[in-house]
Amino acid sequence: MAAKNSAPSALRTFSAAVDETAFVAPPLKQFGLASRYTGALYSAALKAKNLNIVDKEIAQVAEMCRTSTTFKDFLADPSVPKKKKAESIMALMKELKFTDTTVHLFGVMASNGRLTETEKVARQFNEIMMASRGEVKAVVTSAEPLTPKELADVTAACQANIGTGKKLNLETKVDASIIGGLVIDVGDKHIDLSINTKIRKMEALLQETA
């Protein structure tokens, strides 16, 4: 299934697409190793005029990471030579009819031994795309599922927090370990109102005064 000599070609193609002289910075500043790839991908896709398609392809890869143990194990397997890994991942992407932009991205990541960053790249690229659409992600964690009224109240509070002109993308999670209350992550803000955290703070205070 490997494509002969496709990895070196991918390196040249992707490098040309993200030439620093024409680099288009993403609308969201990110840090870390994965951000090098997400920034380059955004710039290359924007110039290739296939940004929305690439967005869907990266989301598909993220879903494959979540649902396919075989795929995830392949990404993490250090025993496969980089060149072979690059050829295999590019062949898979081509079978899935992905754009050259996405195919070449994964060819470069594989050649650099960075396929273990795939999930981070997918997550950060999603954040970039949300920012490009004026969206702000919020994750609300509760010990039990929120009632419709609670959800409406939290949604209104989060929307007020990000201000007008931005679209709220709200995700809810249930985590019984927080015992009660809420943990809210909206944009770059983390608000911990959980009972579990309050208990831990109280325990720490009691230990200090003992």
Side-chain angles (χ1 to χ4, degrees), residues 17-27 39-40 42-44 46-47:
V18 294
D19 182 353
E20 289 294 331
T21 59
F23 180 77
V24 181
Y42 177 81
S43 182
L46 194 65
K47 286 186 283 185

Side-chain angles (χ1 to χ4, degrees), residues 136-140 146 151 154-155 158 168-172 184:
V136 177
K137 184 172 183 178
V139 179
V140 178
L146 298 175
L151 180 58
V154 169
T155 300
C158 289
L168 181 68
N169 189 319
L170 185 68
E171 176 185 351
T172 59
I184 303 172

Side-chain angles (χ1 to χ4, degrees), residues 74-207:
F74 166 76
L75 297 178
D77 188 355
S79 67
V80 181
K82 292 178 183 179
K83 182 179 178 181
K84 183 177 180 181
K85 212 166 192 177
E87 291 172 347
S88 296
I89 194 73
M90 291 178 68
L92 172 62
M93 299 295 174
K94 288 177 180 178
E95 283 184 10
L96 293 172
K97 308 298 183 184
F98 281 2
T99 60
D100 286 345
T101 308
T102 300
V103 171
H104 294 148
L105 166 75
F106 282 94
V108 171
M109 288 177 64
S111 296
N112 292 342
R114 300 301 185 186
L115 285 181
T116 52
E117 296 287 315
T118 295
E119 289 182 280
K120 287 183 181 178
V121 166
R123 182 169 58 253
Q124 291 191 6
F125 190 71
N126 179 57
E127 292 171 357
I128 286 175
M129 291 304 299
M130 287 178 59
S132 73
R133 295 189 292 263
E135 298 177 10
V136 177
K137 184 172 183 178
V139 179
V140 178
T141 304
S142 57
E144 296 180 350
L146 298 175
T147 65
K149 184 180 184 310
E150 290 170 336
L151 180 58
D153 289 344
V154 169
T155 300
C158 289
Q159 184 65 60
N161 184 277
I162 66 174
T164 57
K166 294 182 180 179
K167 181 181 178 182
L168 181 68
N169 189 319
L170 185 68
E171 176 185 351
T172 59
K173 293 183 179 180
V174 175
D175 181 359
S177 70
I178 72 171
I179 303 176
L182 298 171
V183 177
I184 303 172
D185 290 286
V186 54
D188 58 358
K189 299 177 183 177
H190 178 74
I191 307 167
D192 192 338
L193 304 174
S194 67
I195 292 178
N196 184 48
T197 295
K198 292 179 180 178
I199 291 174
R200 291 204 309 270
K201 289 181 179 178
M202 186 179 297
E203 289 174 342
L205 181 62
L206 289 172
Q207 288 176 357

